[in-house]
Short mmCIF file of all heavy atoms in Angstrom, two decimals:
data_model
loop_
_atom_site.label_atom_id
_atom_site.label_comp_id
_atom_site.label_asym_id
_atom_site.label_seq_id
_atom_site.Cartn_x
_atom_site.Cartn_y
_atom_site.Cartn_z
N PRO A 123 34.17 -11.50 -18.70
CA PRO A 123 34.82 -11.62 -17.40
C PRO A 123 35.01 -10.26 -16.69
O PRO A 123 35.43 -9.32 -17.36
CB PRO A 123 36.11 -12.36 -17.60
CG PRO A 123 36.44 -12.06 -19.05
CD PRO A 123 35.08 -12.03 -19.76
N GLY A 124 34.68 -10.16 -15.39
CA GLY A 124 34.86 -8.88 -14.68
C GLY A 124 33.69 -7.92 -14.82
O GLY A 124 33.74 -6.85 -14.22
N HIS A 125 32.73 -8.28 -15.66
CA HIS A 125 31.58 -7.34 -15.90
C HIS A 125 30.25 -7.88 -15.42
O HIS A 125 29.27 -7.13 -15.56
CB HIS A 125 31.46 -7.05 -17.34
CG HIS A 125 32.71 -6.27 -17.90
ND1 HIS A 125 32.96 -4.99 -17.68
CD2 HIS A 125 33.72 -6.77 -18.66
CE1 HIS A 125 34.04 -4.61 -18.36
NE2 HIS A 125 34.56 -5.69 -18.88
N VAL A 126 30.16 -9.02 -14.83
CA VAL A 126 28.94 -9.67 -14.46
C VAL A 126 28.71 -9.71 -12.94
O VAL A 126 29.57 -10.34 -12.27
CB VAL A 126 28.75 -11.04 -15.10
CG1 VAL A 126 27.44 -11.69 -14.70
CG2 VAL A 126 28.87 -10.98 -16.63
N ILE A 127 27.63 -9.09 -12.53
CA ILE A 127 27.20 -9.16 -11.10
C ILE A 127 25.90 -9.90 -11.03
O ILE A 127 25.08 -9.75 -11.96
CB ILE A 127 27.09 -7.75 -10.56
CG1 ILE A 127 28.44 -6.98 -10.51
CG2 ILE A 127 26.42 -7.72 -9.14
CD1 ILE A 127 28.31 -5.59 -10.14
N VAL A 128 25.70 -10.64 -9.99
CA VAL A 128 24.36 -11.35 -9.80
C VAL A 128 23.61 -10.65 -8.72
O VAL A 128 24.19 -10.33 -7.62
CB VAL A 128 24.52 -12.82 -9.51
CG1 VAL A 128 23.28 -13.41 -8.97
CG2 VAL A 128 24.99 -13.60 -10.70
N GLY A 129 22.36 -10.44 -9.00
CA GLY A 129 21.46 -9.82 -7.99
C GLY A 129 20.62 -10.97 -7.43
O GLY A 129 19.80 -11.59 -8.11
N LEU A 130 20.77 -11.19 -6.14
CA LEU A 130 19.94 -12.18 -5.47
C LEU A 130 18.96 -11.46 -4.52
O LEU A 130 19.41 -10.84 -3.55
CB LEU A 130 20.80 -13.17 -4.70
CG LEU A 130 21.59 -14.24 -5.42
CD1 LEU A 130 22.41 -15.05 -4.56
CD2 LEU A 130 20.57 -15.11 -6.21
N ASP A 131 17.68 -11.54 -4.83
CA ASP A 131 16.64 -10.91 -4.03
C ASP A 131 15.95 -12.01 -3.23
O ASP A 131 15.57 -13.02 -3.80
CB ASP A 131 15.62 -10.26 -5.00
CG ASP A 131 16.29 -9.23 -5.94
OD1 ASP A 131 17.28 -8.64 -5.58
OD2 ASP A 131 15.87 -9.13 -7.12
N ALA A 132 15.83 -11.74 -1.95
CA ALA A 132 15.29 -12.83 -1.08
C ALA A 132 14.37 -12.35 -0.03
O ALA A 132 14.43 -11.14 0.41
CB ALA A 132 16.46 -13.55 -0.49
N LYS A 133 13.58 -13.24 0.42
CA LYS A 133 12.75 -13.06 1.61
C LYS A 133 12.81 -14.32 2.47
O LYS A 133 12.61 -15.40 1.96
CB LYS A 133 11.31 -12.75 1.15
CG LYS A 133 10.39 -12.35 2.33
CD LYS A 133 9.00 -11.96 1.79
CE LYS A 133 8.05 -11.47 2.90
NZ LYS A 133 6.80 -11.05 2.37
N ASP A 134 13.15 -14.08 3.72
CA ASP A 134 13.32 -15.23 4.68
C ASP A 134 14.26 -16.28 4.12
O ASP A 134 14.13 -17.42 4.27
CB ASP A 134 12.00 -15.83 4.93
CG ASP A 134 11.00 -14.85 5.58
OD1 ASP A 134 11.43 -14.01 6.40
OD2 ASP A 134 9.78 -14.95 5.27
N GLY A 135 15.33 -15.73 3.47
CA GLY A 135 16.37 -16.63 2.98
C GLY A 135 16.11 -17.36 1.64
O GLY A 135 16.98 -18.06 1.09
N LYS A 136 14.98 -17.10 1.09
CA LYS A 136 14.52 -17.82 -0.19
C LYS A 136 14.63 -16.79 -1.31
O LYS A 136 14.18 -15.61 -1.16
CB LYS A 136 13.16 -18.35 -0.09
CG LYS A 136 12.89 -19.34 1.02
CD LYS A 136 13.68 -20.66 0.79
CE LYS A 136 13.35 -21.67 1.82
NZ LYS A 136 14.08 -22.93 1.64
N VAL A 137 15.14 -17.22 -2.43
CA VAL A 137 15.33 -16.35 -3.57
C VAL A 137 13.99 -16.03 -4.30
O VAL A 137 13.18 -16.95 -4.45
CB VAL A 137 16.35 -16.97 -4.59
CG1 VAL A 137 16.49 -16.12 -5.85
CG2 VAL A 137 17.71 -17.01 -3.90
N ALA A 138 13.80 -14.76 -4.69
CA ALA A 138 12.69 -14.30 -5.47
C ALA A 138 13.09 -13.99 -6.90
O ALA A 138 14.22 -13.56 -7.11
CB ALA A 138 11.98 -13.12 -4.83
N THR A 139 12.20 -14.21 -7.87
CA THR A 139 12.48 -13.90 -9.25
C THR A 139 11.36 -13.09 -9.86
O THR A 139 10.36 -12.72 -9.21
CB THR A 139 12.71 -15.18 -10.08
OG1 THR A 139 11.51 -15.95 -10.07
CG2 THR A 139 13.90 -15.96 -9.54
N GLU A 140 11.51 -12.76 -11.20
CA GLU A 140 10.46 -12.08 -11.98
C GLU A 140 10.03 -10.76 -11.30
O GLU A 140 8.93 -10.51 -11.06
CB GLU A 140 9.19 -12.99 -12.14
CG GLU A 140 9.50 -14.36 -12.59
CD GLU A 140 9.91 -14.43 -14.07
OE1 GLU A 140 9.85 -13.38 -14.72
OE2 GLU A 140 10.32 -15.47 -14.47
N GLY A 141 11.05 -9.94 -11.03
CA GLY A 141 10.76 -8.66 -10.40
C GLY A 141 10.10 -8.79 -9.07
O GLY A 141 9.23 -8.07 -8.67
N TRP A 142 10.57 -9.86 -8.29
CA TRP A 142 10.18 -10.13 -6.92
C TRP A 142 8.79 -10.74 -6.88
O TRP A 142 8.25 -10.95 -5.80
CB TRP A 142 10.18 -8.90 -6.05
CG TRP A 142 11.56 -8.26 -5.90
CD1 TRP A 142 12.72 -8.75 -6.52
CD2 TRP A 142 11.89 -7.08 -5.22
NE1 TRP A 142 13.77 -7.88 -6.13
CE2 TRP A 142 13.31 -6.89 -5.34
CE3 TRP A 142 11.12 -6.20 -4.46
CZ2 TRP A 142 13.91 -5.81 -4.74
CZ3 TRP A 142 11.76 -5.12 -3.87
CH2 TRP A 142 13.20 -4.88 -4.07
N SER A 143 8.17 -11.03 -8.00
CA SER A 143 6.75 -11.51 -7.94
C SER A 143 6.63 -13.01 -7.65
O SER A 143 5.54 -13.47 -7.35
CB SER A 143 6.10 -11.18 -9.26
OG SER A 143 6.73 -11.88 -10.40
N LYS A 144 7.80 -13.78 -7.74
CA LYS A 144 7.69 -15.18 -7.48
C LYS A 144 8.78 -15.58 -6.55
O LYS A 144 9.96 -15.29 -6.73
CB LYS A 144 7.90 -15.94 -8.84
CG LYS A 144 6.78 -15.70 -9.83
CD LYS A 144 7.00 -16.51 -11.13
CE LYS A 144 5.91 -16.24 -12.15
NZ LYS A 144 6.15 -16.99 -13.39
N LEU A 145 8.40 -16.26 -5.42
CA LEU A 145 9.41 -16.85 -4.53
C LEU A 145 9.71 -18.29 -4.95
O LEU A 145 8.85 -19.05 -5.30
CB LEU A 145 8.77 -16.90 -3.11
CG LEU A 145 8.98 -15.61 -2.29
CD1 LEU A 145 8.21 -15.84 -0.86
CD2 LEU A 145 10.39 -15.23 -1.99
N THR A 146 10.97 -18.60 -4.91
CA THR A 146 11.47 -19.91 -5.29
C THR A 146 11.80 -20.68 -3.99
O THR A 146 11.76 -20.11 -2.88
CB THR A 146 12.73 -19.83 -6.12
OG1 THR A 146 13.87 -19.44 -5.31
CG2 THR A 146 12.55 -18.87 -7.25
N GLY A 147 12.18 -21.90 -4.15
CA GLY A 147 12.61 -22.70 -3.01
C GLY A 147 14.08 -22.69 -2.78
O GLY A 147 14.58 -23.41 -1.97
#
Side-chain angles (χ1 to χ4, degrees):
H125 295 284
V126 178
I127 294 172
V128 166
L130 285 178
D131 306 325
K133 187 174 185 180
D134 300 325
K136 301 293 186 181
V137 174
T139 61
E140 310 289 351
W142 301 356
S143 62
K144 296 181 181 178
L145 274 179
T146 72

